[in-house]
Amino acid sequence: MIAVVTDIHGNLPALQAVLERIDQLGCERIISLGDITGYYAQPAECIALLQGRDAIQLLGNHDKYLVDGSGCPRSRLVSELLKHQEKAVPAEQLAFLSTLESRYDEGNASFVHGGWRDPLDEYVYQIEPDRFPNDFEFFFSGHTHVQCKVPLGDGRVYCNPGSVGQPRDGDKRAAFAVFTGDDVELHRVDYDIDAAAQAMRDAGFDEERLWMNLYEGAQIGGRIDKITIMESTA
């Protein structure tokens, strides 16, 4: 069994809880779909944990911002938070992130951070069978922070494991998926949100809005996201 995680975003307590559950389930391997950095206070610790488990790791858009030192073109807030990330992530970990790709294919499954049109930065909010390549049976992507498992027809399945570190689907529990090779299981696990909030305070952040969304399973600002299943246009 393969545990598929994504969008950890420096939330160490959430990742620790997910890894504990992964071990209980007996997963042999971990694939991380990217954005291990961004938003929360402990990205270096999260990177080290996954490196220690020899996880296959993909590059997310937040990881790319950090590697490039470019900031986020969509959000001034994210760019401000990246200044902490730049100090928190050591050079050797930045070098590691710079080697990562945003897509990984294995057997009957394809894994990306964003989508198959743009593996780094496409948001798959609308699930249309036509947007997925025909070469695989199972498709996994992150980026939206919305957990789902959607049959695409002809035996194909799309899955977003949901976010470990910042769920946005109205469920505050950390999310991940397990891929058995012929099926996908969705999982949620409670974690110590208070500890994640305290880590932000300890890092020098005093705006509660930066972490209050974690108690709601929402974006910063309180928006709840969802995906829409569309009919094929073929």
Side-chain angles (χ1 to χ4, degrees):
M1 294 191 298
I2 300 172
V4 186
V5 302
T6 190
D7 297 283
I8 297 163
H9 283 302
N11 188 335
L12 182 62
L15 178 59
Q16 290 171 326
V18 165
L19 291 177
E20 181 178 354
R21 181 62 57 83
I22 284 170
D23 290 341
Q24 292 169 352
L25 292 170
C27 296
E28 298 92 3
R29 301 165 57 206
I30 299 172
I31 296 177
S32 173
L33 305 184
D35 275 0
I36 193 168
T37 67
Y39 289 114
Y40 300 108
Q42 296 171 289
E45 293 88 342
C46 292
I47 294 170
L49 271 182
L50 289 191
Q51 285 181 314
R53 288 172 174 255
D54 293 322
I56 293 171
Q57 299 195 54
L58 303 187
L59 184 75
N61 58 302
H62 282 257
D63 307 323
K64 179 70 169 172
Y65 302 150
L66 188 60
V67 167
D68 289 350
S70 60
C72 175
R74 290 189 291 263
S75 171
R76 184 173 62 183
L77 172 61
V78 169
S79 294
E80 288 296 316
L81 291 170
L82 279 166
K83 294 178 181 178
H84 167 73
Q85 306 277 317
E86 291 169 355
K87 297 176 183 177
V89 178
E92 60 269 22
Q93 289 187 341
L94 284 176
F96 165 71
L97 293 176
S98 72
T99 68
L100 303 181
E101 303 289 339
S102 297
R103 175 170 174 170
Y104 173 72
D105 298 332
E106 179 180 309
N108 64 346
S110 182
F111 305 83
V112 299
H113 178 67
W116 284 264
R117 298 168 182 167
D118 180 351
L120 180 68
D121 206 19
E122 177 188 358
Y123 286 95
V124 183
Y125 284 118
Q126 293 186 334
I127 311 302
E128 306 166 273
D130 300 343
R131 78 189 300 163
F132 300 92
N134 294 319
D135 313 59
F136 304 93
E137 297 176 43
F138 293 92
F139 302 88
F140 296 86
S141 74
H143 204 29
T144 67
H145 300 211
V146 177
Q147 189 183 64
C148 66
K149 173 185 175 183
V150 181
L152 299 174
D154 300 325
R156 299 186 302 156
V157 175
Y158 166 73
C159 173
N160 187 313
S163 174
V164 171
Q166 193 194 78
R168 297 178 181 173
D169 51 10
D171 186 334
K172 65 182 181 180
R173 296 174 297 168
F176 68 101
V178 171
F179 179 43
T180 65
D182 55 16
D183 199 6
V184 178
E185 304 168 357
L186 302 180
H187 293 267
R188 306 296 288 236
V189 60
D190 290 311
Y191 74 96
D192 191 345
I193 299 177
D194 290 342
Q198 187 59 51
M200 289 291 281
R201 295 187 185 95
D202 293 344
F205 296 99
D206 56 9
E207 292 186 66
E208 289 190 352
R209 71 187 183 103
L210 297 178
W211 59 80
M212 289 306 295
N213 58 301
L214 295 177
Y215 294 91
E216 303 170 359
Q219 286 197 26
I220 293 174
R223 192 181 85 187
I224 304 294
D225 289 333
K226 63 181 180 179
I227 62 101
T228 302
I229 301 173
M230 310 292 288
E231 295 294 331
S232 173
T233 58

